[in-house]
Amino acid sequence: MSNDLTLPQGDPERHLSEQLSVRRGTPPAQVPGYEFERFLGEGAYGEVWVAVEKNTGRRVAVKFYTRGGGLDWSLLAREVEKLAFLFADRYVVQLIGVGWDADPPYYVMEYMERGSLAERLQEGPLPVAEAVELFRDVAVGLVHSHEKGVLHCDLKPANVLLDQDGKPRLADFGQSRLSHEQIPALGTLFYMAPEQADIKAVPDARWDVYALGALAYCMLTGNPPHRTPEALLELDLLPNLEQRLAAYRRRIRKAPPPSGHRQVAGVDRALAEIIDRCLAADPRRRYPNVQVVLDALDARAARRQRRPMLVVGALGPMLLLAVVAAFSWHGFSMALGRFENDLVTRALENNRLNALRVAGSASKELQRRRDAVEQVASSANFASAVASMMEQPEVKRLAQSLSEPGRSEAELEPLRERFRQLDQRQKLQKQFEAIIPAWMPAPRTEGGEEEYEAASWFFCDAQGLSTVRVPESKTIGKNYAWRSFFHGGPSDEARDWRPPPGHHLKTTTLSAVFRSEASRYWIVAISAPVYDPADSNKFLGVVALTVRAARFVKLEGDEDQQAVLVDLRPGEHSGMILQHPLFDAFIQANQRPPDHLKDFRLAREDLPITPEKMRNYQDPMARTPEGRDFDRHWLARLEPIRVSGQDVGWAVIVQESYDTTIGAALAALRNELLRAGAVAVGMIVVVLLGMWGLALRMLHGATPLRRWLTPSSVPDRSASATTPTSAAQSPLLNDGGQGARAGAKINDAAESAG
């Protein structure tokens, strides 16, 4: 706070300030009855010494007005005059004696050993409780001063001294004015009101209201409002006093209201609003006098004192309400729990029945396709035609070349085209098309396979070479010996892998799933071996049909239930989700599903095969942004798919949204119970509010019945609170709204006397 200097009011004062010398070794003069101890400080018009009164031993501060050219002797007279008005006020540093005729003149005042509030703030902002206490004490001092007709006009931390009990005393009344004086008084930048920063301004009690708010703000934050390095630099660069004052007024009036005090922990809304109103740039929005500030602080303190009483008064009914609520909630929770358990049990049983039904339907579909494949594979005419064609030299040579691993696509494609154009192969193609069962057709052209029972039919020779296919495509002439539908293994091998002799499919099987290169949907092949009728041990190749995995899972009826197909066989696709309602959405929209969906699979521990997982099944598809419309909490049951009594390794999961089914029913019951509880709680709250309202009325004053029945007989407290004395008693109340009360602070040892 060392730079909180009172603005000098003219060039002569500034000139005198520049002529001050270094500290003196001895006081400027001796004061009878006092022995000087040490030099305390100096200012623009004088210096301050600490002395001891010889008779009593008490310490005092002696303020000398150093002689010099141009010294305004009215400064001493003015300050002594104000201190005389405030004699014996315990909120003001007391005047003890005056040496008018001494050389230099002086006056003696109380010495405050704990220094000024500015020195205390050098350690940092004050705790909120301490700041509020000092705020109120300074306000009381200002009220006393204003009642005696004295406006301080220069309130700041350096002008507030602390006595031995830490209580504030107002000091330095060099800028103070009596209520009837029309002489302007300049205070300290960032502590004086904007309208005060005018050499033509008429003193007003609201100046001290603004300074009081700035003092409180500084105690809480460590700095006065609006003071920033930029503001200080701007003011320092201006050449004269009037320009600085004008710039100060503009800055304060245009700046947003200061808010640093609101960020201080412990500052409540009421205190922040009091400070805000004190610091209003527009004097019309400011408190009219310090007494109203004090009333606001007292009202805040009264509200805070009543809080424990209100808490205690509310504690009993609240405890009773809490006990009743606890028992009610316990019964409420138990009823909901039983209801939920019943609903979940029934839903899981329904899901189990639907899973059995869907799994049975999938079993029948697999069996139909298996029967169709075995029917084609057992065709003697087709097998004989295959054996005959494969004995043709050109066919044998091309088949051998096309099955050799390591050949490039550039070499293979011309050979494949020649193979496709062979008359023998085309005759076999027509014969193959003729023996396909009419009840299990495949499309004749690529695409549109969702309308047919099979996506494709094909035959691969003993080396794995695709020989005939319905519908015909560029895959004819490619070698598929590496596919599981040919060699019968649990998963596909590398593309250049060729089975050793005798390593081929032995019985009808369901292949490992693979993705359609065209649609990206999961495809499975059902294949069966073909043997030469003339030699039952001679393997000729495999007949197979392919079908989308989605065709096996259909759930009709309840829209809230969903059927999911999962591959649980060992291998690279173990746990893979082959069919999901999310896939159906893409199919209906005639769109390719995104590639990331191919990675979703279920671990063994995630399957709904335990009671806990059945009740809390997590659908992995719901964890993606694309699947966010699917709920994550499901009730689910799993059933395996069997063909001819044997488990094929696939399973059906029928899942039902917990929120849609159980949640809706629970919400209905919960709403009914809550409605009944709300009525009961509402009645209790009405009673409590009535009791609290009665208590509040009693706390605020007279008997409530008397207030209600005879309101006109009750005195108006608000009016008396803001008008503590009559106009005849206080000279400030008739001074155009300028007065209320002010305080004073002397003994600013390190500050100027002016």
Side-chain angles (χ1 to χ4, degrees), residues 454-495:
S456 67
W457 280 87
F458 59 88
F459 170 76
C460 294
D461 68 8
Q463 300 180 74
L465 187 69
S466 177
T467 305
V468 292
R469 186 182 187 276
V470 178
E472 291 188 79
S473 72
K474 294 293 185 180
T475 60
I476 296 174
K478 292 185 178 182
N479 191 285
Y480 291 100
W482 54 279
R483 286 286 195 188
S484 64
F485 62 70
F486 181 83
H487 58 71
S491 60
D492 295 338
E493 302 289 347
R495 287 178 178 268

Side-chain angles (χ1 to χ4, degrees), residues 3 7 37 241 265 361 376 397 409 445 461 499 569 585 665 752:
N3 59 346
L7 282 177
E37 272 192 347
L241 176 64
S361 175
V376 173
R397 183 173 63 255
E409 287 296 314
T445 58
D461 68 8
R569 293 175 294 177
S752 68

Side-chain angles (χ1 to χ4, degrees), residues 333-346:
S333 300
M334 289 184 63
L336 283 181
R338 288 192 297 267
F339 185 60
E340 178 188 21
N341 185 66
D342 292 342
L343 291 178
V344 168
T345 300
R346 280 186 288 179

Side-chain angles (χ1 to χ4, degrees), residues 45-105:
Y45 303 112
E47 50 190 67
V48 182
W49 289 76
V50 178
V52 177
E53 189 177 14
K54 294 178 181 179
N55 290 336
T56 63
R58 68 171 176 172
R59 282 185 172 80
V60 297
V62 181
K63 190 171 187 177
F64 290 98
Y65 276 78
T66 308
R67 293 184 181 274
L71 175 64
D72 186 359
W73 293 103
S74 65
L75 292 174
L76 175 59
R78 187 184 306 146
E79 187 165 5
V80 170
E81 177 189 25
K82 306 306 184 301
L83 291 175
F85 268 104
L86 302 173
F87 179 73
D89 193 319
R90 68 182 183 89
Y91 290 96
V92 177
V93 177
Q94 291 300 301
L95 177 69
I96 298 174
V98 182
W100 288 106
D101 300 326
D103 185 16

Side-chain angles (χ1 to χ4, degrees), residues 31 42 84 89 137 178 195 224 299 308 353 381-382 413 508 533 545 646-647 650 665 752:
V31 179
E42 62 185 353
D89 193 319
D137 287 344
L178 295 177
E195 71 272 13
L353 295 175
N381 291 336
F382 177 72
E413 191 54 36
T508 306
L545 67 79
Q646 294 184 344
D647 192 342
W650 284 2
S752 68

Side-chain angles (χ1 to χ4, degrees), residues 404-657:
E404 291 178 4
R407 284 179 175 264
S408 67
E409 287 296 314
E411 295 178 285
L412 290 172
E413 191 54 36
L415 297 176
R416 290 170 184 159
E417 187 60 29
R418 285 177 54 193
F419 181 74
R420 296 180 195 120
Q421 300 302 323
L422 290 175
D423 292 339
Q424 298 92 326
R425 194 209 68 78
Q426 293 184 0
K427 290 180 181 179
L428 187 64
Q429 173 76 28
K430 294 179 180 179
Q431 188 173 356
F432 183 68
E433 293 175 0
I435 63 173
I436 293 175
W439 45 271
M440 191 62 62
R444 296 296 176 177
T445 58
E446 290 290 336
E449 60 267 18
E450 64 274 4
E451 301 176 3
Y452 291 83
E453 299 290 337
S456 67
W457 280 87
F458 59 88
F459 170 76
C460 294
D461 68 8
Q463 300 180 74
L465 187 69
S466 177
T467 305
V468 292
R469 186 182 187 276
V470 178
E472 291 188 79
S473 72
K474 294 293 185 180
T475 60
I476 296 174
K478 292 185 178 182
N479 191 285
Y480 291 100
W482 54 279
R483 286 286 195 188
S484 64
F485 62 70
F486 181 83
H487 58 71
S491 60
D492 295 338
E493 302 289 347
R495 287 178 178 268
D496 59 353
W497 180 86
R498 297 294 181 265
H503 191 87
H504 56 76
L505 191 68
K506 301 295 192 300
T507 184
T508 306
T509 188
L510 186 68
S511 74
V513 294
F514 56 93
R515 281 196 180 275
S516 167
E517 296 181 0
S519 66
R520 305 300 296 165
Y521 290 106
W522 288 111
I523 301 293
V524 68
I526 302 172
S527 56
V530 177
Y531 292 96
D532 190 344
D535 183 358
S536 60
N537 294 322
K538 184 179 180 181
F539 175 68
L540 297 179
V542 298
V543 168
L545 67 79
T546 60
V547 63
R548 282 186 181 180
R551 296 193 65 89
F552 296 103
V553 175
K554 294 181 181 179
L555 181 60
E556 305 292 341
D558 195 343
E559 295 181 355
D560 296 327
Q561 290 180 321
Q562 299 175 355
V564 178
L565 180 63
V566 184
D567 191 344
L568 300 180
R569 293 175 294 177
E572 62 175 321
H573 297 121
S574 181
M576 189 69 67
I577 296 177
L578 305 180
Q579 174 55 20
H580 190 279
L582 188 60
F583 295 157
D584 293 337
F586 286 105
I587 293 173
Q588 293 172 3
N590 197 26
Q591 297 176 354
R592 270 181 70 166
D595 289 341
H596 71 272
L597 294 182
K598 68 182 180 181
D599 297 324
F600 285 106
R601 63 182 70 210
L602 287 166
R604 175 66 63 174
E605 58 269 18
D606 295 331
L607 296 173
I609 54 179
T610 65
E612 176 63 25
K613 287 297 181 182
M614 293 177 189
R615 290 172 173 262
N616 296 281
Y617 173 65
Q618 301 294 313
D619 186 347
M621 291 290 190
R623 299 173 192 166
T624 66
E626 290 76 7
R628 59 183 175 271
D629 292 334
F630 288 86
D631 296 321
R632 296 189 63 180
H633 184 189
W634 301 83
L635 304 174
R637 291 299 297 265
L638 178 145
E639 290 295 334
I641 297 176
R642 296 181 174 87
V643 175
S644 300
Q646 294 184 344
D647 192 342
V648 300
W650 284 2
V652 172
I653 297 175
V654 172
Q655 60 190 39
E656 188 173 12
S657 170

Side-chain angles (χ1 to χ4, degrees), residues 65-373:
Y65 276 78
T66 308
R67 293 184 181 274
L71 175 64
D72 186 359
W73 293 103
S74 65
L75 292 174
L76 175 59
R78 187 184 306 146
E79 187 165 5
V80 170
E81 177 189 25
K82 306 306 184 301
L83 291 175
F85 268 104
L86 302 173
F87 179 73
D89 193 319
R90 68 182 183 89
Y91 290 96
V92 177
V93 177
Q94 291 300 301
L95 177 69
I96 298 174
V98 182
W100 288 106
D101 300 326
D103 185 16
Y106 64 86
Y107 66 76
V108 183
M109 52 191 170
E110 289 182 287
Y111 172 64
M112 300 291 133
E113 294 185 354
R114 298 189 65 173
S116 69
L117 179 59
E119 296 170 7
R120 168 66 179 83
L121 288 174
Q122 290 177 359
E123 303 172 7
L126 303 183
V128 174
E130 182 180 351
V132 171
E133 184 178 359
L134 288 173
F135 184 22
R136 188 185 185 284
D137 287 344
V138 172
V140 172
L142 287 174
V143 168
H144 289 183
S145 175
H146 285 200
E147 284 181 340
K148 295 178 181 178
V150 179
L151 305 178
H152 191 283
C153 300
D154 192 20
L155 183 65
K156 60 184 177 181
N159 290 345
V160 176
L161 302 185
L162 303 175
D163 64 16
Q164 62 181 1
D165 297 324
K167 296 295 183 180
R169 301 283 193 94
L170 302 180
D172 199 342
F173 281 76
Q175 299 295 321
S176 63
R177 298 290 184 268
L178 295 177
S179 61
H180 61 274
E181 291 181 320
Q182 304 295 306
I183 305 172
L186 296 183
T188 301
L189 290 176
F190 305 108
Y191 290 98
M192 66 175 169
E195 71 272 13
Q196 184 182 355
D198 188 342
I199 58 176
K200 298 180 181 179
V202 176
D204 191 321
R206 288 173 290 188
W207 293 2
D208 283 347
V209 172
Y210 184 93
L212 182 63
L215 184 73
Y217 185 94
C218 184
M219 288 190 290
L220 292 170
T221 66
N223 286 290
H226 302 296
R227 187 171 73 180
T228 63
E230 295 79 8
L232 291 172
L233 179 61
E234 177 189 353
L235 295 175
D236 287 343
L237 293 176
L238 295 174
N240 58 58
L241 176 64
E242 291 189 6
Q243 290 180 342
R244 289 200 298 274
L245 293 176
Y248 176 77
R249 291 195 302 270
R250 288 194 302 271
R251 175 171 285 273
I252 299 301
R253 288 168 176 166
K254 292 182 179 180
S259 59
H261 59 299
R262 291 183 174 272
Q263 277 72 54
V264 177
V267 173
D268 55 86
R269 180 179 178 181
L271 177 59
E273 290 178 349
I274 291 172
I275 296 174
D276 287 344
R277 190 170 174 188
C278 287
L279 293 175
D282 185 351
R284 294 172 297 181
R285 300 183 62 186
R286 214 174 296 151
Y287 287 115
N289 53 60
V290 182
Q291 178 61 54
V292 183
V293 180
L294 188 60
D295 291 341
L297 286 172
D298 290 342
R300 170 185 174 271
R303 288 194 297 270
R304 292 173 67 87
Q305 289 175 354
R306 287 197 296 267
R307 287 178 185 174
M309 299 174 59
L310 293 175
V311 171
V312 171
L315 187 60
M318 291 300 293
L319 286 176
L320 177 61
L321 181 60
V323 171
V324 173
F327 278 98
S328 300
W329 185 259
H330 178 68
F332 175 74
S333 300
M334 289 184 63
L336 283 181
R338 288 192 297 267
F339 185 60
E340 178 188 21
N341 185 66
D342 292 342
L343 291 178
V344 168
T345 300
R346 280 186 288 179
L348 287 175
E349 178 62 20
N350 184 45
N351 290 345
R352 185 185 73 85
L353 295 175
N354 278 322
L356 284 172
R357 179 165 59 84
V358 174
S361 175
S363 298
K364 292 178 181 178
E365 292 298 319
L366 282 172
Q367 185 65 56
R368 289 178 64 239
R369 287 162 177 76
R370 179 174 179 172
D371 292 344
V373 169

